[in-house]
Amino acid sequence: QVRLVESGGGLVQAGGSLRLSCAASGRTNSDGIMGWFRQAPGKEREFVSAFRWGGGWTYYADSVQGRFINSRDFAKNTVYLQMNSLNYEDTAVYYCAAHGSGSFFQPTSYPYWGQGTQVTVSS
């Protein structure tokens, strides 16, 4: 069992930055894959990033490549998503998730989810 708690969302102007946090507890390991997803109103949950908990591998969706960056604090068992150059299309509820099996692009491959944190970008 893995428990995930996100924080750090909020309201930001276009062009600004936010950093999301995802604190993990329970059965985590360095080979595990974590993911970030987002869901805007009326849209399906969308892949943002996936990465190996222990480092060495990260993948970003084209829409955020070059603007979003993953990082980790192993001592705190926490991962972060630094979001820069935010625009209106980034407005969504953001979720971190722990991968189980299957394609890391698909939400259905992640059995464990945080509660989500709202990010709103004003134009």
Side-chain angles (χ1 to χ4, degrees):
Q1 189 76 11
V2 178
R3 183 169 181 262
L4 305 170
V5 179
E6 299 104 335
S7 60
L11 175 64
V12 63
Q13 287 189 331
S17 299
L18 279 175
R19 189 178 77 159
L20 306 183
S21 301
C22 174
S25 60
R27 194 168 57 89
T28 59
N29 67 83
S30 62
D31 290 329
I33 295 174
M34 300 291 293
W36 288 98
F37 288 79
R38 65 187 182 186
Q39 189 165 18
K43 295 187 176 181
E44 294 186 350
R45 195 161 295 190
E46 175 189 23
F47 171 80
V48 173
S49 176
F51 55 95
R52 184 170 168 267
W53 178 265
W57 176 80
T58 301
Y59 191 91
Y60 298 98
D62 289 344
S63 58
V64 306
Q65 178 74 47
R67 299 188 298 123
F68 290 13
I69 303 171
N70 283 308
S71 63
R72 304 153 185 81
D73 184 330
F74 294 111
K76 295 181 179 180
N77 227 28
T78 298
V79 297
Y80 304 95
L81 183 67
Q82 177 68 42
M83 306 185 297
N84 302 316
S85 301
L86 286 162
N87 57 61
Y88 179 75
E89 287 72 30
D90 295 316
T91 296
V93 177
Y94 283 72
Y95 300 88
C96 66
H99 183 263
S101 62
S103 169
F104 61 81
F105 291 112
Q106 298 299 325
T108 53
S109 299
Y110 295 77
Y112 303 107
W113 292 84
Q115 83 285 2
T117 185
Q118 176 71 48
V119 172
T120 303
V121 183
S122 62
S123 57

